[in-house]
Structures are given as structure tokens and as C-alpha cells.
Amino acid sequence: MDWLESRDGILHAEGVALPDIAERFGTPTYVYSRSAIVERWGAFAEATAGRRALVCYALKANSNLAIIDLLARAGAGFDIVSGGELRRVLAAGASPERVVFSGVGKSTAEIELALRVGVRCFNVESESELKWISATAVRNGASAAVSLRVNPDVDARTHPYISTGLRENKFGVAYDQALELYQLAVSLPAIEVVGIDCHIGSQITEIEPFVAALDRLIALVEALEARGIALRHIDLGGGLGIRYDDERPPTPRAMLDAIFARIDASPAVRGLEVLFEFGRAIVGNAGLLLTRVEYLKSNGERRFAIVDAAMNDLMRPALYDAYHRIVEVQPRDTPRQVYDVVGPICESGDWLGRARSLALAEGDLLAILSAGAYAMAMSSNYNTRPRAAEVIVDRETTHLVREREPVESLYALERRLSE
Ligand code: LLP
């Protein structure tokens, strides 16, 4: 996270001192770096320069309107998985023509909205969904461009909860049923078959699984060609990992070069437009969660630093046993101690970091790193905790891009019984 720098012993995000952000906006607060997002996007843009390619940003990683807007301005497409995400794309002023709609359970209302605004493509995950999109399009006098999400049965070698390309996962159409389904698709009314896609998982730190999945898709495209079914695009999903600790994921360039080398060598796919759906790799290391130490305590066995952020703000540790680096904002000279960094929620699962060596006093600020993706986006109001504020720093300037939720808003939609 090279947008973080210590100046006079105080951690700065771009040109802004983190204690100033805490002072102005309170804690916990998510802090994102504009330049980090734009630069990371630039790495993908450069790696696809001169090619017929569209890099879509998978909104689920972080769907703040300001981030959608930034990426739309930079030329991104978007990968969405709900009508709500589509509404966000529209609210941010981005074009639905650059949107691909993924997900195993699209509802009728979501399909209708997507048809109405004209998304670029539906990534279809089952025969039932395909037929339903066809029927819905007919009913609405529309036509739906579709791609079949094929499950390539490739091991992404990542956490089982975020591995999606194995036969046993709920995602996509089984590889050996795909040809049949394409044949059905071309026969259905109001369906235009335009592509093929896959997504094998997330936080993948090697190139091989991506290439293995691509090879499986290429074989299918060849078989489709032989049956007279021509496609316009191939979508390889997202999944490129980032560095949380000591992982060494490939750079966007290394990954995309390996993909394009394979594509260029295959006559069946050489002419197709190539789509990607990256989320974490674009925003993951462009954010941190700023939190304050409320209390220090020791139960004899262990020391705890109880902070004002919790599993409702950042649930990745509780859910996946995920590691996020945690650093002091103003490191002290006092000896380090080993702490479990935990939140105030009434569950032992409410931890943010375990056995961290830190020099702390009550009231100190901590930065929980690599929190740009699947952090705020997965937050909840558990324990009636308002969601954190979100800010974007841009050199010396800090923009508030989401206010801290007022507590009353958490129960504003609730009603007491009338009698
Ligand atoms: N496309 C599809 C169809 C997906 O399901 C996903 C992520 C992506 C693209 C973007 O994947 P990325 O490039 O961000 O790896 N909450 C988990 C991650 C879940 C990912 C789900 N699908 C976490 O915190 O690690």
C-alpha cells in the first residue's frame, strides 16, 4: 500500500494525516486512496491496451458511488450481481451498456430492470434461468444478449468459501452440459447468444488456474464453432488475488499477458473480445479501516486490544479466518506486546487480528490494511452498530463519500405494534 507513508512518526494516507481524519469524521472510518484506485485501474488498462478487451469492475467488492464514478470515468465496465448493484451503476451515472449481469438467482424484477435499461449481457447460470430470461424478454418485447457461465471444474486453490469453479460448487452450467444448453439458447425466442464466461474463485495467487480455465473454455468455443454457433466475446471472470500478508500474486500484466498469449495462439478465440470481472485486485489494497483502541485488557492468558471497529464493519476475519495487517498510526517507543485485536460485539468470533505485536495505549489509532474490497461491502448493523463512514483521500484533500449512519436510521423502517 504505497499510498501510506509515515511522516514525522504519523501515518499519512496520500497527503492526509490519519489522526486528522479520525478527528474530523470519527472512527471507525474507511479510508480509500483515489490515486491507488486510479493507478491500479491503469495497470489493467495498460495490460489490455490495443486489444479488444473490456475490464469490468466487480461492484460487489466495494460499491460506493464515488468508486463506481471514478472507475466509470476511467473507462471501466461493470460486473453486477443484483438489481441493487445495477441501480448503483445508474445512480453513479455510468452506462448500462458496459454492464454484465452475473449471479445464480436473478429475480424477475431484476431481469426486467436489466432488460429495460439495456445491460450489455446476462451471464446465465442454468437452463431454467435461460428459459426464464427468454420468456421475460418476450413478455417485455425485449431481446436479451446472453453468455453462458460455464463451470470449468478447475481448482482455484483458494479458500473453499470463495472457490467457485469446481463441479461441486453451485455456480455455472456443468461443463459437459454446456454444448446442449448453447443449442437450446440459439433456439429460444428473444435470446441472442453473444458469449461464454467463467469465474473460478477469488484471491487466486497463481496464473495456472486461470490458464487452465481458459483452455477448457477454448475447447468449448471450438466445439461451438463446429456446430455453427459463433460468439462475440469470452469473459474470464475475476479472481486475481492481492497481497494481504506475504502472498505473491501475479501482477495484472503478468496474468493478462499469459491469458492473451493463450488466446492469440487459438484460432477459435483469437477474434473474440475479451472481458474480465476484477473486484479485489482493483480496490483491495486501496483502502484501510481506521479504528481507535477503546480498552486494553488481559485475562492472564491473553492480552486484548478492544477497538471501536468490529466484525460488523469487517467480517472477513470472522468468516474466512482472513488476515489483515494492522499497524499503529502513531507508533510508540514503549515495548511491544502481543494482542488479539477485537471488537465490542458479543461473540468470540468478533476479532480483527490475532496475536499481533503492537505498542499500544488506550485511545491510540490503528489502521487495518487491505480493506478496500469485501470490507464495507460486507458490513452489517449487527448489535445496532451504525455502518462506518467512508472517505476518499486525494492528495491533501479528504472527501466524505458516505456519512456514518445515524443510529435512528437503523430502526427508522421499523414499527411498534399499534395495539
Ligand atoms: N465475477 C463473479 C461472477 C464473482 O462471483 C466475483 C466474486 C467476481 C467476479 C470478482 O472476484 P474478485 O476479482 O474480486 O476476486 N467475500 C469474499 C470474496 C467473494 C468473491 C465472490 N465473487 C472475500 O472477502 O474474500
Side-chain angles (χ1 to χ4, degrees):
M1 295 182 48
D2 54 11
W3 51 280
L4 283 179
E5 183 186 63
S6 177
R7 289 192 205 162
D8 301 326
I10 300 174
L11 199 58
H12 283 60
E14 297 201 17
V16 183
L18 288 175
D20 292 350
I21 293 179
E23 181 80 11
R24 215 172 129 196
F25 302 101
T27 50
T29 289
Y30 277 101
V31 181
Y32 310 121
S33 155
R34 178 176 188 159
S35 72
I37 297 170
V38 171
E39 271 168 34
R40 193 64 176 169
W41 168 260
F44 287 100
E46 271 167 36
T48 52
R51 296 198 162 258
R52 281 185 57 228
L54 177 65
V55 179
C56 295
Y57 169 59
L59 226 67
K60 63 166 80 69
N62 187 327
S63 52
N64 187 287
L65 293 193
I67 292 180
I68 302 174
D69 177 34
L70 263 184
L71 290 169
R73 285 195 247 167
F78 296 96
D79 170 56
I80 60 157
V81 288
S82 70
E85 287 191 347
L86 179 50
R87 298 278 296 270
R88 279 184 179 273
V89 170
L90 300 173
S95 165
E97 283 148 34
R98 296 167 83 81
V99 167
V100 297
F101 191 174
S102 302
V104 284
K106 303 174 191 76
S107 72
T108 308
E110 289 175 327
I111 295 168
E112 283 176 344
L113 173 66
L115 288 171
R116 198 159 58 241
V117 303
V119 299
R120 177 188 164 124
C121 178
F122 289 88
N123 289 344
V124 174
E125 303 218 11
S126 66
E127 179 176 340
S128 301
E129 184 195 336
L130 179 64
K131 289 179 173 160
W132 189 238
I133 291 176
S134 166
T136 309
V138 168
R139 237 186 312 112
N140 287 273
S143 158
V146 303
S147 157
L148 294 192
R149 174 172 176 181
V150 175
N151 186 330
D153 196 21
V154 162
D155 188 355
R157 298 202 282 262
T158 181
H159 191 286
Y161 282 15
I162 53 176
S163 177
T164 49
L166 281 172
R167 204 195 301 259
E168 69 211 46
N169 300 132
K170 71 177 174 185
F171 297 98
V173 172
Y175 191 81
D176 46 15
Q177 294 168 12
L179 283 182
E180 226 175 291
L181 208 56
Y182 269 102
Q183 243 137 10
L184 172 68
V186 290
S187 76
L188 287 174
I191 291 287
E192 193 192 355
V193 176
V194 296
I196 187 165
D197 68 283
C198 73
H199 173 76
I200 57 172
S202 199
Q203 185 53 18
I204 300 168
T205 52
E206 302 158 292
I207 292 179
E208 292 72 28
F210 293 111
V211 174
L214 171 60
D215 284 344
R216 300 272 286 165
L217 259 53
I218 289 175
L220 266 182
V221 177
E222 286 167 351
L224 287 170
E225 209 178 33
R227 285 168 175 70
I229 300 177
L231 304 179
R232 280 189 243 148
H233 79 240
I234 180 166
D235 174 347
L236 296 167
L240 179 61
I242 60 165
R243 183 164 188 183
Y244 286 96
D245 185 13
D246 53 7
E247 303 91 336
R248 295 249 166 234
T251 60
R253 174 112 239 168
M255 177 191 169
L256 270 57
D257 279 356
I259 298 281
F260 286 128
R262 212 48 153 236
I263 286 178
D264 291 345
S266 157
V269 291
R270 196 182 288 155
L272 302 187
E273 185 178 8
V274 186
L275 270 57
F276 298 95
E277 305 166 358
F278 294 114
R280 187 187 328 256
I282 297 174
V283 293
N285 268 328
L288 62 82
L289 176 57
L290 184 62
T291 183
R292 197 177 286 283
V293 177
E294 303 271 26
Y295 302 106
L296 296 176
K297 78 174 196 180
S298 157
N299 67 3
E301 280 290 288
R302 287 194 191 194
R303 275 174 210 281
F304 295 96
I306 302 163
V307 299
D308 62 6
M311 67 188 286
N312 74 296
D313 300 298
L314 178 66
M315 76 178 299
R316 302 192 69 258
L319 190 59
Y320 313 116
D321 222 359
Y323 178 90
H324 286 257
R325 277 180 64 204
I326 301 179
V327 299
E328 299 98 335
V329 168
Q330 271 173 286
R332 296 175 172 275
D333 288 336
T334 51
R336 294 173 165 270
Q337 309 269 15
V338 175
Y339 293 97
D340 281 2
V341 179
V342 302
I345 286 181
C346 313
E347 298 215 19
S348 296
D350 181 25
W351 61 278
L352 300 165
R354 288 200 166 125
R356 302 303 174 86
S357 172
L358 297 161
L360 290 182
E362 292 176 354
D364 282 2
L365 291 169
L366 291 172
I368 305 178
L369 307 189
S370 307
Y374 305 111
M376 180 65 174
M378 292 173 70
S379 64
S380 77
N381 292 121
Y382 189 35
N383 280 203
T384 306
R385 289 172 49 86
R387 279 185 179 76
E390 290 177 290
V391 302
I392 292 188
V393 292
D394 181 6
R395 286 170 284 194
E396 317 292 313
T397 310
T398 308
H399 302 276
L400 179 64
V401 294
R402 192 178 205 268
E403 286 174 39
R404 184 176 310 287
E405 285 175 336
V407 176
E408 315 79 63
S409 75
L410 271 44
Y411 47 82
L413 302 177
E414 298 171 22
R415 300 285 178 269
R416 293 162 67 197
L417 295 180
S418 57
E419 53 184 301

